[in-house]
Amino acid sequence: MLTEDAAIAIQEALKSQVIATDILPDPIKIIAGADVEYDKDSNLIAGSIVLLDYTTLQVIAVASHCMEATFPYIPGLFSFREMPSLLRAYEKLPVQPDLIICDGQGIAHQRRFGLAAHFGVTLNKPVIGCGKTKLCGEYQDLGAARGSIAPLMDPEQIGNALRTQDNINPVFVSVGHKISLPTATNIVLQMCTQYRLPETTRLADHYARLALLEHKK
DNA sequence: GCGACAG
DNA sequence: ATCTTGTCGC
């Protein structure tokens, strides 16, 4: 059983491996979304990875994995709760994506090692962190128009608040692994074609919910 | 002690 | 995360 202190030690040991520069395929062909769904009245969780054609956003493949959660939700130790199911789902994919967008923070984290960073370093793959709310840091003067950006400071810049639709609450983009913040921010905006959240996240959430329902039948 | 706290 | 439907405010 992993203790809280041991989990923090793992983060401290791995965070130096994060690469915050662009090391990704030139034309990106396949982009992935990753999300985990929770059962309301049990300890079951379902992780899903959905693969999309980068240019058409058509679904190429989906893989999911249901299991009992093995670690509690503790702010700052989120990856230890969600990553096991995501790794199992990832192993079931028929092909690998060029890039993954995670539902959660990358280095916009108290120890600079959130879910997207942990997942990226573990897979040695480019990963973007895109959270719906912030974990830490502050921002100001975010414009109201789609595409507006404000740096998330803690006290140095750890990510961006990004307005993905006019007058709608921003999302929080940060480096996970093998990508720069400007590139990550642009890609997230590009994935937000119609809603606040990237299509990758919306679809992963949808398929994770289906996997959970199917597992309970 | 108080508030904040990814999902 | 899960609570969910109609309602308040711009």
Side-chain angles (χ1 to χ4, degrees):
Chain A
M1 175 75 196
L2 188 63
T3 65
E4 189 166 337
D5 286 348
I8 291 172
I10 290 170
Q11 294 180 328
E12 295 290 358
L14 293 179
K15 67 181 184 183
S16 65
Q17 296 184 27
V18 170
I19 297 173
T21 54
D22 293 318
I23 304 183
L24 51 160
D26 192 326
I28 298 169
K29 290 180 177 172
I30 301 178
I31 189 165
D35 192 26
V36 173
E37 196 76 23
Y38 293 74
D39 184 20
K40 174 173 76 73
D41 38 39
S42 79
N43 201 31
L44 272 183
I45 63 175
S48 281
I49 313 270
V50 58
L51 266 35
L52 305 185
D53 181 293
Y54 186 68
T55 53
T56 67
L57 299 188
Q58 291 303 297
V59 175
I60 294 171
V62 181
S64 303
H65 185 80
C66 286
M67 60 183 282
E68 296 280 329
T70 57
F71 198 85
Y73 170 67
I74 300 171
L77 299 178
F78 190 45
S79 63
F80 295 92
R81 181 166 176 79
E82 293 208 340
M83 229 178 54
S85 64
L86 292 177
L87 287 173
R88 297 277 184 83
Y90 189 86
E91 291 166 359
K92 298 178 184 176
L93 289 171
V95 292
Q96 296 211 170
D98 296 317
L99 168 69
I100 302 165
I101 300 180
C102 268
D103 187 28
Q105 316 297 335
I107 61 173
H109 176 278
Q110 46 271 65
R111 285 173 294 278
R112 308 294 182 257
F113 201 68
L115 170 65
H118 198 169
F119 199 40
V121 165
T122 300
L123 295 176
N124 192 28
K125 274 277 183 181
V127 179
I128 295 171
C130 179
K132 295 184 282 292
T133 61
K134 70 180 179 66
L135 209 210
C136 56
E138 300 299 332
Y139 66 98
Q140 45 194 318
D141 304 325
L142 178 63
R146 166 180 159 88
S148 299
I149 292 168
L152 185 63
M153 310 297 290
D154 186 39
E156 75 272 22
Q157 186 172 9
I158 56 175
N160 277 329
L162 169 67
R163 195 89 70 182
T164 59
Q165 300 296 343
D166 292 350
N167 298 99
I168 295 295
N169 287 156
V171 298
F172 299 87
V173 180
S174 58
V175 169
H177 191 47
K178 291 191 166 182
I179 197 160
S180 67
L181 183 58
T183 300
T185 304
N186 286 335
I187 290 174
V188 168
L189 182 59
Q190 194 175 326
M191 289 299 115
C192 297
T193 52
Q194 193 175 1
Y195 298 95
R196 177 189 175 221
L197 299 180
E199 286 304 303
T200 43
T201 298
R202 288 169 37 76
L203 287 162
D205 178 85
H206 172 75
Y207 287 112
R209 166 165 259 115
L210 287 187
L212 199 53
L213 290 174
E214 186 62 29
H215 185 89
K216 291 177 73 177
K217 292 178 64 174

